[in-house]
Every structure is written in structure tokens, then in C-alpha cells.
Amino acid sequence: LEKSYFSSLRNYKKSESSFDTKFAIFSTDVDESYGIREALVKLGAENFDIVNNFKFCFGFISEEKPKFIIFDLNTMDEQMDKLIRNIKIDFPQVEIMLILPIEYQQNEEFSDIINENDVLFKPLIYNEFEDKIIKYL
């Protein structure tokens, strides 16, 4: 059903504009970032992969060469902070956008990583994601 739905969105698009930019969604979300994927397909940005297992993320980035990565996270911890920092060091050309629960907005422990990247807080505000993602595409 999910594949059919996304296929119907592609067919329904009224404009011919689409984006070929290669990117990835690194997700800890149980629904695999369904709402974000839906918004991306509506925008015409369909050249993405979803990564749920972060153990092989460096191999994935090396092989697939995404232009940017969206981290759709339910929590932020030291391990995730370290992973994001290492990606920025090893792949400085890769842009990073974070989507985090709103309680991390004032969290001092992760303020550096939050201030260094584009961050959207969950729940997403209407059209906020679309407005922010356009600059990456």
C-alpha cells in the first residue's frame, strides 16, 4: 500500500519540476519518517535512501555520496552526537539537517551540534520542513 501511495503521488504531481539531488534520511523513527518522505515526494525530491542501521553509515556515505543527510531522530544522546560530528569531519562536503523532538531545543548538552546545523523540531510546523529543505535540493 505504501509503494502504491507514493507512486500515486508521483503520478499526481501537477508540475514537472523534480529534484535529482541525491540525499539520505537517517532515521530512528519507527514509521521510517513517513511524513517526511511524503513531503519530499510532493516536492519532487525522490532521489533518497532511508538508513535505519547506523553501523554501516560511513560505507553508505562513501558509496552513495549523498549531498546532504536528514537525521530524523527521536532522541539525541552522546553516541548520536559523536556520529554526527564524525560524519562532519570525515565528509565535510555533506550537509546535515536534524529533526529532533522539541525538548532538545533548550538542551545545553547538545547545544553545539544543534547550533552548527539546520534543526527542525518535532512536531514539524506546517510548511516549515518544505521551506527549509528547498535550499538543499
Side-chain angles (χ1 to χ4, degrees):
L1 287 173
E2 187 175 295
K3 283 185 179 183
S4 300
Y5 175 69
F6 283 119
S7 292
S8 69
L9 280 178
R10 286 183 199 107
N11 294 334
Y12 181 73
K13 283 190 312 188
K14 292 181 181 176
S15 70
E16 293 298 318
S17 67
S18 65
F19 299 94
D20 251 359
T21 305
K22 178 71 175 168
F23 63 99
I25 301 171
F26 284 25
S27 178
T28 60
D29 205 355
V30 290
D31 71 354
E32 295 183 346
S33 307
Y34 185 82
I36 293 170
R37 290 185 296 150
E38 183 179 34
L40 290 166
V41 170
K42 285 180 183 178
L43 284 172
E46 302 174 20
N47 194 9
F48 63 88
D49 293 302
I50 298 178
V51 177
N52 298 104
N53 185 348
F54 300 155
K55 290 182 182 188
F56 306 106
C57 69
F58 287 92
F60 172 83
I61 296 168
S62 296
E63 283 181 28
E64 298 296 325
K65 298 178 180 22
K67 181 180 175 190
F68 68 95
I69 299 170
I70 299 170
F71 277 90
D72 184 16
L73 306 173
N74 289 326
T75 62
M76 176 63 96
D77 56 20
E78 289 179 27
Q79 185 178 355
M80 191 58 63
D81 181 64
K82 185 177 178 180
L83 174 69
I84 294 168
R85 289 182 191 285
N86 288 339
I87 289 173
K88 289 184 78 77
I89 290 167
D90 292 345
F91 304 98
Q93 74 283 3
V94 176
E95 299 283 338
I96 293 178
M97 173 190 275
L98 302 173
I99 300 175
L100 295 166
I102 195 135
E103 60 259 19
Y104 292 97
Q105 187 172 18
Q106 301 297 327
N107 190 324
E108 292 296 321
E109 185 179 359
F110 304 111
S111 63
D112 289 344
I113 200 80
I114 289 172
N115 292 331
E116 293 171 6
N117 299 289
D118 277 338
V119 179
L120 297 175
F121 294 101
K122 292 181 182 181
L124 292 173
I125 298 170
Y126 181 73
N127 285 340
E128 181 185 37
F129 176 74
E130 292 85 347
D131 293 344
K132 188 72 92 169
I133 198 72
I134 288 295
K135 80 175 191 180
Y136 292 101
L137 299 173

